[in-house]
Amino acid sequence: MAEEAPTKPVIIFLAGDSTVSNYPNSLFPRSGWGQVLPTMLDNEVTIRNFAKRGRSSKSFIQEGRLNSILNSIQKGDYLFIQFGHNDEKVNYPKLFTDPDTTYKSYLKQYIDGARKKGAIPVLITPVQRFSFSSDGRALDTHGRYPAAMKALAKEQNVPVIDLASKSKTLYQQLGAVKTKKLFLWLKAGEYPNYPQGVKDPTHFQEYGAAQIAKLVIEGIEEQHLPIENHILPKFR
């Protein structure tokens, strides 16, 4: 009887910023959603997290980080792409991109690069920061960037997970007090790595990163990406 050919392991490459990246134990409980994502997928999936804090779609390319991914990525692999937080920084020319022009043209380089290798690009709109109106409404914190990314996804026929919208909905459901528990918003003495406490409206603690990673999983299912078969039953 012929042996079955071994199935090719699934590799997901992550390109993004600090909200996606891995963090050392010295910064615990600070975590990116990409750090938690592997816990929601079976052991046939490998996550290679290239996300780096402080990067925009532009600086990530200019530092050669996209090239590093494209040198390794193979046919059938995935490239998940989330940028926006640092693209918004008008006063930092090395980071800033215009949502209607350069943001889209840089993102297109990720799409084209992945497709050239036979890999599957997936765009992910930037996760929202912590921001509520005085009457308790969760606010959009990324201006025109999510809409620009969705427009590009449509133009290029690329799957898009609308994490900006999903995270805003989650925050609205939780309300301001409970949403704060997702973020690196810690009292003095609560964690040894932050003896003075911290109030960070952008980055997540481990619990929050897990809630955001669940939204990414939800997006994978909604887009019917083939990797949905690798989602662990308890996260379906």
Side-chain angles (χ1 to χ4, degrees), residues 73-139:
I73 206 164
Q74 294 180 2
K75 187 177 179 181
D77 291 343
Y78 289 83
L79 176 55
F80 284 15
I81 307 142
Q82 185 212 273
F83 288 102
H85 288 77
N86 299 303
D87 290 72
E88 300 163 359
K89 296 182 175 174
V90 183
N91 298 326
Y92 294 83
K94 286 184 177 171
L95 298 176
F96 178 69
T97 63
D98 180 277
D100 301 316
T101 56
T102 45
Y103 179 57
K104 289 168 80 175
S105 63
Y106 280 112
L107 290 175
K108 190 172 179 300
Q109 292 183 45
Y110 295 79
I111 295 167
D112 293 346
R115 283 180 164 165
K116 202 170 172 185
K117 289 295 191 90
I120 301 149
V122 178
L123 291 171
I124 301 179
T125 57
V127 62
Q128 302 284 3
R129 292 184 171 92
F130 176 84
S131 184
F132 280 79
S133 66
S134 55
D135 61 351
R137 282 177 303 114
L139 299 174

Short mmCIF file of all heavy atoms in Angstrom, two decimals, residues 73-139:
data_model
loop_
_atom_site.label_atom_id
_atom_site.label_comp_id
_atom_site.label_asym_id
_atom_site.label_seq_id
_atom_site.Cartn_x
_atom_site.Cartn_y
_atom_site.Cartn_z
N ILE A 73 9.12 32.95 2.12
CA ILE A 73 7.73 32.53 1.88
C ILE A 73 7.64 31.62 0.66
O ILE A 73 8.40 31.79 -0.30
CB ILE A 73 6.81 33.78 1.75
CG1 ILE A 73 5.37 33.45 2.14
CG2 ILE A 73 6.89 34.42 0.38
CD1 ILE A 73 4.51 34.69 2.41
N GLN A 74 6.76 30.64 0.74
CA GLN A 74 6.62 29.67 -0.35
C GLN A 74 5.18 29.56 -0.80
O GLN A 74 4.26 30.07 -0.15
CB GLN A 74 7.13 28.30 0.11
CG GLN A 74 8.62 28.29 0.39
CD GLN A 74 9.12 26.92 0.84
OE1 GLN A 74 8.36 25.95 0.91
NE2 GLN A 74 10.39 26.84 1.14
N LYS A 75 5.01 28.86 -1.89
CA LYS A 75 3.67 28.65 -2.46
C LYS A 75 2.75 28.05 -1.40
O LYS A 75 3.12 27.11 -0.69
CB LYS A 75 3.78 27.69 -3.65
CG LYS A 75 2.48 27.55 -4.41
CD LYS A 75 2.62 26.66 -5.62
CE LYS A 75 1.26 26.56 -6.31
NZ LYS A 75 1.29 25.69 -7.48
N GLY A 76 1.57 28.63 -1.27
CA GLY A 76 0.58 28.13 -0.33
C GLY A 76 0.69 28.71 1.07
O GLY A 76 -0.20 28.51 1.90
N ASP A 77 1.79 29.43 1.36
CA ASP A 77 1.91 30.11 2.65
C ASP A 77 0.99 31.34 2.65
O ASP A 77 0.49 31.75 1.60
CB ASP A 77 3.35 30.57 2.90
CG ASP A 77 4.33 29.42 3.12
OD1 ASP A 77 3.87 28.29 3.40
OD2 ASP A 77 5.55 29.66 3.01
N TYR A 78 0.83 31.94 3.82
CA TYR A 78 0.01 33.14 3.96
C TYR A 78 0.88 34.30 4.41
O TYR A 78 1.83 34.12 5.17
CB TYR A 78 -1.08 32.92 5.02
CG TYR A 78 -2.16 31.98 4.57
CD1 TYR A 78 -1.98 30.60 4.68
CD2 TYR A 78 -3.36 32.44 4.04
CE1 TYR A 78 -2.96 29.71 4.26
CE2 TYR A 78 -4.34 31.56 3.62
CZ TYR A 78 -4.13 30.21 3.73
OH TYR A 78 -5.11 29.33 3.31
N LEU A 79 0.50 35.50 3.97
CA LEU A 79 1.11 36.72 4.48
C LEU A 79 -0.01 37.63 5.00
O LEU A 79 -0.81 38.15 4.23
CB LEU A 79 1.91 37.45 3.39
CG LEU A 79 2.52 38.80 3.81
CD1 LEU A 79 3.41 38.68 5.04
CD2 LEU A 79 3.31 39.43 2.64
N PHE A 80 -0.09 37.75 6.33
CA PHE A 80 -1.06 38.64 6.97
C PHE A 80 -0.39 40.00 7.16
O PHE A 80 0.73 40.08 7.69
CB PHE A 80 -1.48 38.10 8.34
CG PHE A 80 -2.44 36.95 8.30
CD1 PHE A 80 -2.69 36.22 7.14
CD2 PHE A 80 -3.15 36.58 9.45
CE1 PHE A 80 -3.59 35.16 7.11
CE2 PHE A 80 -4.05 35.52 9.44
CZ PHE A 80 -4.27 34.81 8.27
N ILE A 81 -1.09 41.07 6.75
CA ILE A 81 -0.48 42.40 6.70
C ILE A 81 -1.36 43.39 7.47
O ILE A 81 -2.48 43.69 7.05
CB ILE A 81 -0.38 42.87 5.22
CG1 ILE A 81 0.35 41.82 4.36
CG2 ILE A 81 0.28 44.24 5.12
CD1 ILE A 81 -0.24 41.66 2.96
N GLN A 82 -0.87 43.91 8.59
CA GLN A 82 -1.60 44.94 9.35
C GLN A 82 -0.70 46.14 9.61
O GLN A 82 0.28 46.04 10.35
CB GLN A 82 -2.11 44.43 10.70
CG GLN A 82 -2.97 45.51 11.40
CD GLN A 82 -2.89 45.50 12.93
OE1 GLN A 82 -3.62 44.78 13.58
NE2 GLN A 82 -2.00 46.31 13.50
N PHE A 83 -1.02 47.26 8.98
CA PHE A 83 -0.31 48.52 9.24
C PHE A 83 -1.33 49.65 9.32
O PHE A 83 -2.44 49.53 8.81
CB PHE A 83 0.70 48.82 8.13
CG PHE A 83 1.91 47.93 8.15
CD1 PHE A 83 2.02 46.88 7.25
CD2 PHE A 83 2.93 48.14 9.07
CE1 PHE A 83 3.13 46.05 7.26
CE2 PHE A 83 4.05 47.31 9.10
CZ PHE A 83 4.15 46.26 8.19
N GLY A 84 -0.90 50.76 9.90
CA GLY A 84 -1.77 51.93 10.00
C GLY A 84 -1.38 52.82 11.18
O GLY A 84 -1.33 54.04 11.05
N HIS A 85 -1.07 52.20 12.32
CA HIS A 85 -0.76 52.98 13.53
C HIS A 85 0.37 53.99 13.30
O HIS A 85 0.28 55.13 13.75
CB HIS A 85 -0.35 52.05 14.68
CG HIS A 85 -1.46 51.27 15.27
ND1 HIS A 85 -1.99 50.15 14.65
CD2 HIS A 85 -2.17 51.43 16.41
CE1 HIS A 85 -2.96 49.65 15.40
NE2 HIS A 85 -3.09 50.41 16.48
N ASN A 86 1.44 53.54 12.65
CA ASN A 86 2.60 54.42 12.47
C ASN A 86 2.58 55.14 11.12
O ASN A 86 3.25 56.16 10.97
CB ASN A 86 3.88 53.60 12.65
CG ASN A 86 3.95 53.01 14.05
OD1 ASN A 86 3.89 53.73 15.04
ND2 ASN A 86 4.02 51.69 14.14
N ASP A 87 1.79 54.62 10.19
CA ASP A 87 1.61 55.32 8.91
C ASP A 87 0.96 56.69 9.13
O ASP A 87 1.11 57.60 8.32
CB ASP A 87 0.71 54.49 7.98
CG ASP A 87 1.40 53.24 7.47
OD1 ASP A 87 1.60 52.29 8.26
OD2 ASP A 87 1.76 53.20 6.30
N GLU A 88 0.25 56.83 10.24
CA GLU A 88 -0.49 58.07 10.55
C GLU A 88 0.41 59.21 11.04
O GLU A 88 -0.05 60.33 11.18
CB GLU A 88 -1.50 57.79 11.67
CG GLU A 88 -2.52 56.74 11.34
CD GLU A 88 -3.23 56.21 12.59
OE1 GLU A 88 -2.91 56.64 13.71
OE2 GLU A 88 -4.11 55.35 12.43
N LYS A 89 1.66 58.90 11.36
CA LYS A 89 2.51 59.88 12.05
C LYS A 89 3.09 60.91 11.07
O LYS A 89 4.21 60.78 10.59
CB LYS A 89 3.60 59.15 12.84
CG LYS A 89 2.98 58.30 13.96
CD LYS A 89 4.01 57.59 14.81
CE LYS A 89 3.32 56.87 15.97
NZ LYS A 89 4.25 56.05 16.76
N VAL A 90 2.31 61.96 10.85
CA VAL A 90 2.63 63.00 9.87
C VAL A 90 4.00 63.63 10.12
O VAL A 90 4.71 63.98 9.18
CB VAL A 90 1.55 64.12 9.90
CG1 VAL A 90 1.81 65.18 8.85
CG2 VAL A 90 0.17 63.52 9.70
N ASN A 91 4.37 63.75 11.38
CA ASN A 91 5.63 64.44 11.72
C ASN A 91 6.86 63.54 11.62
O ASN A 91 7.97 63.95 11.96
CB ASN A 91 5.54 65.04 13.13
CG ASN A 91 4.44 66.09 13.20
OD1 ASN A 91 4.20 66.79 12.23
ND2 ASN A 91 3.76 66.17 14.34
N TYR A 92 6.66 62.30 11.19
CA TYR A 92 7.77 61.35 11.04
C TYR A 92 7.84 60.89 9.59
O TYR A 92 7.21 59.89 9.22
CB TYR A 92 7.58 60.15 11.97
CG TYR A 92 7.67 60.50 13.43
CD1 TYR A 92 6.56 61.00 14.12
CD2 TYR A 92 8.86 60.35 14.14
CE1 TYR A 92 6.64 61.33 15.45
CE2 TYR A 92 8.95 60.67 15.48
CZ TYR A 92 7.83 61.17 16.14
OH TYR A 92 7.91 61.51 17.47
N PRO A 93 8.60 61.62 8.75
CA PRO A 93 8.60 61.32 7.31
C PRO A 93 9.04 59.89 6.97
O PRO A 93 8.62 59.35 5.95
CB PRO A 93 9.56 62.35 6.72
CG PRO A 93 10.10 63.16 7.83
CD PRO A 93 9.35 62.83 9.08
N LYS A 94 9.84 59.27 7.85
CA LYS A 94 10.26 57.89 7.57
C LYS A 94 9.11 56.89 7.74
O LYS A 94 9.18 55.76 7.25
CB LYS A 94 11.43 57.49 8.48
CG LYS A 94 12.74 58.14 8.08
CD LYS A 94 13.88 57.66 8.95
CE LYS A 94 15.20 58.28 8.48
NZ LYS A 94 16.30 58.00 9.43
N LEU A 95 8.08 57.32 8.46
CA LEU A 95 6.95 56.44 8.75
C LEU A 95 5.69 56.82 7.95
O LEU A 95 4.96 55.94 7.51
CB LEU A 95 6.60 56.50 10.25
CG LEU A 95 7.66 56.06 11.24
CD1 LEU A 95 7.17 56.29 12.67
CD2 LEU A 95 8.03 54.59 11.04
N PHE A 96 5.46 58.11 7.81
CA PHE A 96 4.17 58.58 7.29
C PHE A 96 3.88 58.13 5.87
O PHE A 96 4.74 58.16 4.99
CB PHE A 96 4.12 60.12 7.34
CG PHE A 96 2.85 60.69 6.78
CD1 PHE A 96 1.64 60.52 7.44
CD2 PHE A 96 2.85 61.36 5.56
CE1 PHE A 96 0.47 61.02 6.91
CE2 PHE A 96 1.68 61.87 5.02
CZ PHE A 96 0.48 61.70 5.70
N THR A 97 2.64 57.70 5.67
CA THR A 97 2.12 57.45 4.32
C THR A 97 0.75 58.11 4.22
O THR A 97 0.04 58.22 5.22
CB THR A 97 1.97 55.94 4.02
OG1 THR A 97 1.01 55.38 4.93
CG2 THR A 97 3.29 55.20 4.13
N ASP A 98 0.40 58.53 3.03
CA ASP A 98 -0.91 59.14 2.80
C ASP A 98 -1.92 58.03 2.52
O ASP A 98 -1.67 57.18 1.66
CB ASP A 98 -0.83 60.09 1.61
CG ASP A 98 -2.18 60.74 1.35
OD1 ASP A 98 -3.02 60.10 0.67
OD2 ASP A 98 -2.41 61.86 1.82
N PRO A 99 -3.06 58.01 3.24
CA PRO A 99 -3.98 56.89 3.08
C PRO A 99 -4.47 56.67 1.64
O PRO A 99 -4.72 55.52 1.26
CB PRO A 99 -5.15 57.23 4.01
CG PRO A 99 -4.97 58.65 4.41
CD PRO A 99 -3.52 58.96 4.26
N ASP A 100 -4.59 57.74 0.89
CA ASP A 100 -5.16 57.59 -0.45
C ASP A 100 -4.11 57.27 -1.53
O ASP A 100 -4.46 56.89 -2.64
CB ASP A 100 -5.91 58.87 -0.85
CG ASP A 100 -7.03 59.16 0.13
OD1 ASP A 100 -7.76 58.21 0.49
OD2 ASP A 100 -7.16 60.32 0.59
N THR A 101 -2.84 57.44 -1.20
CA THR A 101 -1.82 57.25 -2.23
C THR A 101 -0.72 56.29 -1.76
O THR A 101 -0.76 55.09 -2.05
CB THR A 101 -1.20 58.61 -2.64
OG1 THR A 101 -0.69 59.27 -1.46
CG2 THR A 101 -2.23 59.49 -3.32
N THR A 102 0.25 56.81 -0.99
CA THR A 102 1.42 55.99 -0.66
C THR A 102 1.09 54.79 0.24
O THR A 102 1.71 53.73 0.10
CB THR A 102 2.52 56.85 0.00
OG1 THR A 102 1.92 57.71 0.97
CG2 THR A 102 3.22 57.71 -1.04
N TYR A 103 0.14 54.94 1.15
CA TYR A 103 -0.26 53.80 2.00
C TYR A 103 -0.68 52.63 1.11
O TYR A 103 -0.21 51.50 1.27
CB TYR A 103 -1.42 54.24 2.90
CG TYR A 103 -1.97 53.19 3.85
CD1 TYR A 103 -1.16 52.54 4.78
CD2 TYR A 103 -3.34 52.89 3.84
CE1 TYR A 103 -1.69 51.62 5.68
CE2 TYR A 103 -3.87 51.97 4.74
CZ TYR A 103 -3.05 51.34 5.66
OH TYR A 103 -3.58 50.42 6.54
N LYS A 104 -1.52 52.93 0.13
CA LYS A 104 -2.01 51.87 -0.76
C LYS A 104 -0.88 51.32 -1.64
O LYS A 104 -0.79 50.11 -1.87
CB LYS A 104 -3.17 52.39 -1.62
CG LYS A 104 -4.44 52.61 -0.80
CD LYS A 104 -5.49 53.38 -1.57
CE LYS A 104 -6.25 52.49 -2.53
NZ LYS A 104 -7.37 53.23 -3.18
N SER A 105 0.00 52.20 -2.11
CA SER A 105 1.06 51.71 -3.01
C SER A 105 2.08 50.86 -2.25
O SER A 105 2.60 49.87 -2.79
CB SER A 105 1.73 52.86 -3.76
OG SER A 105 2.37 53.73 -2.87
N TYR A 106 2.36 51.20 -0.98
CA TYR A 106 3.25 50.34 -0.19
C TYR A 106 2.57 49.00 0.10
O TYR A 106 3.20 47.95 -0.04
CB TYR A 106 3.69 51.03 1.11
CG TYR A 106 4.81 52.02 0.89
CD1 TYR A 106 4.61 53.39 1.06
CD2 TYR A 106 6.09 51.59 0.51
CE1 TYR A 106 5.64 54.31 0.84
CE2 TYR A 106 7.12 52.50 0.29
CZ TYR A 106 6.89 53.85 0.46
OH TYR A 106 7.91 54.74 0.23
N LEU A 107 1.31 49.03 0.50
CA LEU A 107 0.61 47.77 0.78
C LEU A 107 0.57 46.87 -0.45
O LEU A 107 0.67 45.64 -0.34
CB LEU A 107 -0.82 48.05 1.26
CG LEU A 107 -0.97 48.66 2.66
CD1 LEU A 107 -2.44 48.99 2.93
CD2 LEU A 107 -0.44 47.72 3.75
N LYS A 108 0.47 47.49 -1.61
CA LYS A 108 0.43 46.71 -2.86
C LYS A 108 1.73 45.93 -3.06
O LYS A 108 1.73 44.83 -3.64
CB LYS A 108 0.14 47.62 -4.05
CG LYS A 108 -0.17 46.84 -5.33
CD LYS A 108 -0.64 47.77 -6.45
CE LYS A 108 -0.92 47.00 -7.73
NZ LYS A 108 0.24 46.27 -8.28
N GLN A 109 2.84 46.46 -2.55
CA GLN A 109 4.12 45.74 -2.68
C GLN A 109 4.10 44.43 -1.89
O GLN A 109 4.70 43.44 -2.30
CB GLN A 109 5.27 46.62 -2.19
CG GLN A 109 5.53 47.83 -3.10
CD GLN A 109 6.74 48.63 -2.63
OE1 GLN A 109 7.78 48.08 -2.30
NE2 GLN A 109 6.60 49.96 -2.61
N TYR A 110 3.39 44.42 -0.77
CA TYR A 110 3.25 43.18 0.02
C TYR A 110 2.40 42.17 -0.76
O TYR A 110 2.75 40.99 -0.83
CB TYR A 110 2.57 43.47 1.36
CG TYR A 110 3.36 44.35 2.30
CD1 TYR A 110 3.39 45.74 2.13
CD2 TYR A 110 4.05 43.80 3.38
CE1 TYR A 110 4.11 46.56 2.99
CE2 TYR A 110 4.76 44.61 4.26
CZ TYR A 110 4.79 45.99 4.05
OH TYR A 110 5.50 46.79 4.91
N ILE A 111 1.32 42.67 -1.33
CA ILE A 111 0.40 41.80 -2.09
C ILE A 111 1.12 41.20 -3.30
O ILE A 111 1.10 39.99 -3.51
CB ILE A 111 -0.83 42.63 -2.56
CG1 ILE A 111 -1.66 43.09 -1.36
CG2 ILE A 111 -1.69 41.82 -3.54
CD1 ILE A 111 -2.69 44.17 -1.69
N ASP A 112 1.78 42.07 -4.07
CA ASP A 112 2.47 41.61 -5.28
C ASP A 112 3.59 40.64 -4.94
O ASP A 112 3.78 39.62 -5.61
CB ASP A 112 3.04 42.81 -6.06
CG ASP A 112 1.96 43.70 -6.65
OD1 ASP A 112 0.78 43.26 -6.69
OD2 ASP A 112 2.27 44.83 -7.06
N GLY A 113 4.34 40.96 -3.88
CA GLY A 113 5.46 40.11 -3.47
C GLY A 113 4.99 38.71 -3.07
O GLY A 113 5.58 37.70 -3.47
N ALA A 114 3.91 38.66 -2.30
CA ALA A 114 3.38 37.36 -1.86
C ALA A 114 2.87 36.57 -3.06
O ALA A 114 3.18 35.38 -3.21
CB ALA A 114 2.26 37.58 -0.85
N ARG A 115 2.12 37.24 -3.92
CA ARG A 115 1.52 36.54 -5.06
C ARG A 115 2.58 36.01 -6.02
O ARG A 115 2.43 34.94 -6.60
CB ARG A 115 0.54 37.47 -5.80
CG ARG A 115 -0.78 37.60 -5.05
CD ARG A 115 -1.74 38.51 -5.75
NE ARG A 115 -3.10 38.32 -5.23
CZ ARG A 115 -4.10 39.16 -5.44
NH1 ARG A 115 -3.89 40.27 -6.16
NH2 ARG A 115 -5.30 38.91 -4.95
N LYS A 116 3.64 36.77 -6.17
CA LYS A 116 4.73 36.34 -7.05
C LYS A 116 5.32 35.01 -6.58
O LYS A 116 5.78 34.20 -7.38
CB LYS A 116 5.81 37.43 -7.06
CG LYS A 116 6.71 37.40 -8.28
CD LYS A 116 7.57 38.65 -8.32
CE LYS A 116 8.61 38.56 -9.42
NZ LYS A 116 9.52 39.71 -9.40
N LYS A 117 5.27 34.78 -5.26
CA LYS A 117 5.80 33.54 -4.68
C LYS A 117 4.73 32.45 -4.57
O LYS A 117 4.98 31.38 -4.03
CB LYS A 117 6.38 33.83 -3.29
CG LYS A 117 7.68 34.62 -3.32
CD LYS A 117 8.79 33.81 -3.99
CE LYS A 117 10.16 34.42 -3.83
NZ LYS A 117 10.88 34.00 -2.65
N GLY A 118 3.51 32.77 -5.04
CA GLY A 118 2.43 31.79 -4.93
C GLY A 118 1.82 31.73 -3.54
O GLY A 118 1.08 30.81 -3.20
N ALA A 119 2.14 32.75 -2.72
CA ALA A 119 1.58 32.81 -1.36
C ALA A 119 0.27 33.62 -1.38
O ALA A 119 -0.04 34.27 -2.38
CB ALA A 119 2.58 33.44 -0.42
N ILE A 120 -0.45 33.57 -0.28
CA ILE A 120 -1.78 34.19 -0.20
C ILE A 120 -1.71 35.42 0.71
O ILE A 120 -1.54 35.28 1.93
CB ILE A 120 -2.81 33.18 0.35
CG1 ILE A 120 -2.85 31.94 -0.57
CG2 ILE A 120 -4.19 33.80 0.51
CD1 ILE A 120 -3.17 30.65 0.14
N PRO A 121 -1.83 36.63 0.14
CA PRO A 121 -1.84 37.82 1.00
C PRO A 121 -3.21 38.05 1.63
O PRO A 121 -4.24 37.79 1.00
CB PRO A 121 -1.51 38.96 0.02
CG PRO A 121 -1.97 38.47 -1.32
CD PRO A 121 -1.94 36.97 -1.29
N VAL A 122 -3.23 38.50 2.87
CA VAL A 122 -4.47 38.83 3.57
C VAL A 122 -4.25 40.18 4.25
O VAL A 122 -3.32 40.32 5.06
CB VAL A 122 -4.82 37.76 4.64
CG1 VAL A 122 -6.09 38.15 5.39
CG2 VAL A 122 -4.97 36.38 4.00
N LEU A 123 -5.06 41.16 3.91
CA LEU A 123 -4.96 42.48 4.54
C LEU A 123 -5.77 42.51 5.83
O LEU A 123 -6.85 41.90 5.90
CB LEU A 123 -5.45 43.57 3.58
CG LEU A 123 -4.57 43.83 2.35
CD1 LEU A 123 -5.29 44.76 1.37
CD2 LEU A 123 -3.22 44.42 2.75
N ILE A 124 -5.26 43.21 6.83
CA ILE A 124 -5.95 43.34 8.12
C ILE A 124 -5.95 44.81 8.52
O ILE A 124 -4.88 45.41 8.70
CB ILE A 124 -5.25 42.48 9.20
CG1 ILE A 124 -5.25 41.00 8.77
CG2 ILE A 124 -5.94 42.65 10.55
CD1 ILE A 124 -4.57 40.05 9.74
N THR A 125 -7.14 45.40 8.60
CA THR A 125 -7.22 46.82 8.95
C THR A 125 -6.73 47.01 10.39
O THR A 125 -6.87 46.12 11.23
CB THR A 125 -8.65 47.38 8.80
OG1 THR A 125 -9.55 46.62 9.60
CG2 THR A 125 -9.12 47.34 7.34
N PRO A 126 -6.12 48.17 10.69
CA PRO A 126 -5.47 48.35 12.00
C PRO A 126 -6.46 48.30 13.17
O PRO A 126 -7.51 48.93 13.13
CB PRO A 126 -4.81 49.73 11.89
CG PRO A 126 -5.50 50.43 10.76
CD PRO A 126 -5.95 49.36 9.82
N VAL A 127 -6.07 47.55 14.19
CA VAL A 127 -6.89 47.43 15.40
C VAL A 127 -7.02 48.81 16.06
O VAL A 127 -6.07 49.59 16.07
CB VAL A 127 -6.28 46.37 16.35
CG1 VAL A 127 -4.88 46.75 16.81
CG2 VAL A 127 -7.19 46.09 17.52
N GLN A 128 -8.20 49.10 16.61
CA GLN A 128 -8.44 50.43 17.19
C GLN A 128 -7.67 50.63 18.49
O GLN A 128 -7.44 49.69 19.26
CB GLN A 128 -9.93 50.61 17.50
CG GLN A 128 -10.86 50.46 16.32
CD GLN A 128 -10.89 51.66 15.37
OE1 GLN A 128 -10.15 52.63 15.54
NE2 GLN A 128 -11.74 51.58 14.36
N ARG A 129 -7.32 51.88 18.72
CA ARG A 129 -6.78 52.27 20.03
C ARG A 129 -7.95 52.42 21.01
O ARG A 129 -9.10 52.39 20.63
CB ARG A 129 -6.06 53.62 19.90
CG ARG A 129 -4.78 53.56 19.09
CD ARG A 129 -4.09 54.92 19.12
NE ARG A 129 -2.76 54.87 18.53
CZ ARG A 129 -2.50 55.12 17.25
NH1 ARG A 129 -3.48 55.44 16.42
NH2 ARG A 129 -1.26 55.06 16.80
N PHE A 130 -7.60 52.63 22.28
CA PHE A 130 -8.62 52.88 23.30
C PHE A 130 -9.05 54.34 23.21
O PHE A 130 -8.25 55.25 23.45
CB PHE A 130 -8.04 52.59 24.70
CG PHE A 130 -8.99 52.91 25.82
CD1 PHE A 130 -9.94 51.98 26.21
CD2 PHE A 130 -8.95 54.14 26.46
CE1 PHE A 130 -10.83 52.28 27.24
CE2 PHE A 130 -9.83 54.44 27.48
CZ PHE A 130 -10.77 53.51 27.88
N SER A 131 -10.30 54.57 22.83
CA SER A 131 -10.81 55.94 22.76
C SER A 131 -12.34 55.92 22.80
O SER A 131 -12.97 55.28 21.95
CB SER A 131 -10.33 56.64 21.47
OG SER A 131 -10.74 57.98 21.45
N PHE A 132 -12.90 56.61 23.77
CA PHE A 132 -14.36 56.68 23.93
C PHE A 132 -14.80 58.13 24.01
O PHE A 132 -14.08 58.98 24.55
CB PHE A 132 -14.80 55.95 25.21
CG PHE A 132 -14.87 54.45 25.07
CD1 PHE A 132 -13.70 53.69 25.13
CD2 PHE A 132 -16.07 53.80 24.87
CE1 PHE A 132 -13.75 52.30 25.00
CE2 PHE A 132 -16.13 52.43 24.74
CZ PHE A 132 -14.98 51.67 24.81
N SER A 133 -15.99 58.41 23.50
CA SER A 133 -16.56 59.76 23.63
C SER A 133 -17.09 59.93 25.05
O SER A 133 -17.23 58.95 25.79
CB SER A 133 -17.71 59.94 22.63
OG SER A 133 -18.78 59.07 22.97
N SER A 134 -17.41 61.16 25.43
CA SER A 134 -17.89 61.43 26.79
C SER A 134 -19.21 60.71 27.07
O SER A 134 -19.53 60.41 28.21
CB SER A 134 -18.06 62.94 27.00
OG SER A 134 -18.91 63.46 25.99
N ASP A 135 -19.97 60.39 25.99
CA ASP A 135 -21.23 59.66 26.21
C ASP A 135 -21.06 58.14 26.01
O ASP A 135 -22.04 57.42 25.82
CB ASP A 135 -22.36 60.23 25.35
CG ASP A 135 -22.08 60.13 23.85
OD1 ASP A 135 -20.93 59.78 23.48
OD2 ASP A 135 -23.00 60.37 23.04
N GLY A 136 -19.79 57.68 26.03
CA GLY A 136 -19.56 56.24 26.07
C GLY A 136 -19.54 55.50 24.74
O GLY A 136 -19.69 54.29 24.70
N ARG A 137 -19.32 56.25 23.65
CA ARG A 137 -19.24 55.56 22.34
C ARG A 137 -17.77 55.27 22.00
O ARG A 137 -16.92 56.14 22.14
CB ARG A 137 -19.84 56.44 21.23
CG ARG A 137 -21.38 56.43 21.19
CD ARG A 137 -21.94 57.38 20.14
NE ARG A 137 -21.48 58.74 20.35
CZ ARG A 137 -20.68 59.40 19.50
NH1 ARG A 137 -20.24 58.84 18.40
NH2 ARG A 137 -20.32 60.65 19.76
N ALA A 138 -17.51 54.04 21.56
CA ALA A 138 -16.16 53.70 21.08
C ALA A 138 -15.91 54.48 19.79
O ALA A 138 -16.79 54.54 18.92
CB ALA A 138 -16.07 52.20 20.84
N LEU A 139 -14.73 55.06 19.68
CA LEU A 139 -14.43 55.94 18.54
C LEU A 139 -13.47 55.30 17.55
O LEU A 139 -12.65 54.46 17.92
CB LEU A 139 -13.82 57.25 19.04
CG LEU A 139 -14.71 58.09 19.98
CD1 LEU A 139 -13.93 59.28 20.52
CD2 LEU A 139 -15.98 58.55 19.27
#
